[in-house]
Amino acid sequence: FGGRLDQRAAVSLANPTIWNTGWSSTVTFSAERTSENPIFTARLGGAGIQFQHYLDKNRQKSVIFRYDFRRTNLSNITIPDLVRPEDQNVRLSSLSASFSRDSRDNPLDAHKGIYESFQVDMNPGFMGSSTSFGRFLGQTAYYKSLTSDSSLVWANSLRLGMEHAFGGSHIPISESFFSGGGSTLRGFSLNGAGPQREVLVCPAENPNCGEKISVPVGGKQLVILNSELRFPLGISAPLIGGTLGGVVFYDAGNVYSNVSFKNVASDLTHTVGFGARYKTPVGPVRIDIGHLLNAPPGVKTLQFFVTLGQAF
């Protein structure tokens, strides 16, 4: 792709079976230069190789082993305080292993089944990373039909993440955990949960203007709990027929600066809300309104989202 503000190229090679072993492989290469964001220019490059193997004949359980090398360079930063120096030039050389299990009846709009995924990443400095850290991210989602026609569904999801830097290294902001938005904590704006820091928004030519905004910085620990009840509304939907659906939900969680279970409960945020679902062939169109019960100072208590697909 070539445009005035964005130029990118990518190539991949997939082998569905390696010497009839039951393993598949994928090799990818990508490069991009973009200045679509007027605040900075980014140059990104990456290469990776992945091996995947299904553990059962139904292809519900699989393991993936992957190696990635990625490089990110930021330049022409018009707000100097926005991106810290250590995050302007980052190299990541990542080894990862993951396990997943998916018994959902429909991944786009599940009515029953379980989805689980667990991934561990290591970014060691001796393999070329500009920083050394480890990362874990796990998710378990459970869907249960409460009626014989699957019209009433109880859906639940739990996500946990932890990171740790080694030898005095730092974790790049691109690899930190963020939360908030229509698919995580619906009482916050996109990535609005968790630690914040004040940033001078003064341009480089006027560094003493004194104007500040609060921006999310991510964290080393993530906790997200979602629970919702999906039900039919009995109202005919236009264009494609069928009926509209409704949902009531509860979201809890937060992003934490450090890995510690002492403050998980005390700093947990709680959101309640309701929404509507309009079924389409590519998944439901989703409208959600979330109310944050214990909003931090300066954070709006009401959020509104319109998107495609279920929240989880």
Side-chain angles (χ1 to χ4, degrees), residues 221 253-254 256 260-270 294 296:
Q221 181 171 284
N254 212 337
Y256 302 83
S260 173
F261 294 98
K262 294 181 179 180
N263 299 326
V264 168
S266 59
D267 293 338
L268 206 66
T269 67
H270 305 275
N294 55 337

Side-chain angles (χ1 to χ4, degrees), residues 57-131:
K57 63 180 181 180
N58 296 324
R59 299 170 72 89
Q60 292 183 351
K61 302 176 183 178
S62 68
V63 291
I64 294 176
F65 299 98
R66 185 174 179 88
Y67 170 76
D68 284 295
F69 183 84
R70 291 171 288 159
R71 184 159 188 170
T72 302
N73 289 290
L74 303 182
S75 58
N76 302 324
I77 302 173
T78 58
I79 303 177
D81 195 35
L82 183 63
V83 183
R84 288 171 170 163
E86 61 267 26
D87 292 322
Q88 296 178 15
N89 188 347
V90 176
R91 296 188 318 274
L92 295 177
S93 181
S94 305
L95 288 168
S96 66
S98 64
F99 167 81
S100 65
R101 177 167 73 112
D102 190 353
S103 63
R104 294 173 294 179
D105 59 337
N106 182 357
L108 295 177
D109 188 11
H111 296 82
K112 59 182 179 180
I114 294 175
Y115 174 75
E116 293 179 317
S117 67
F118 306 94
Q119 180 169 328
V120 176
D121 299 283
M122 296 300 295
N123 297 266
F126 68 85
M127 292 186 62
S129 290
S130 57
T131 182

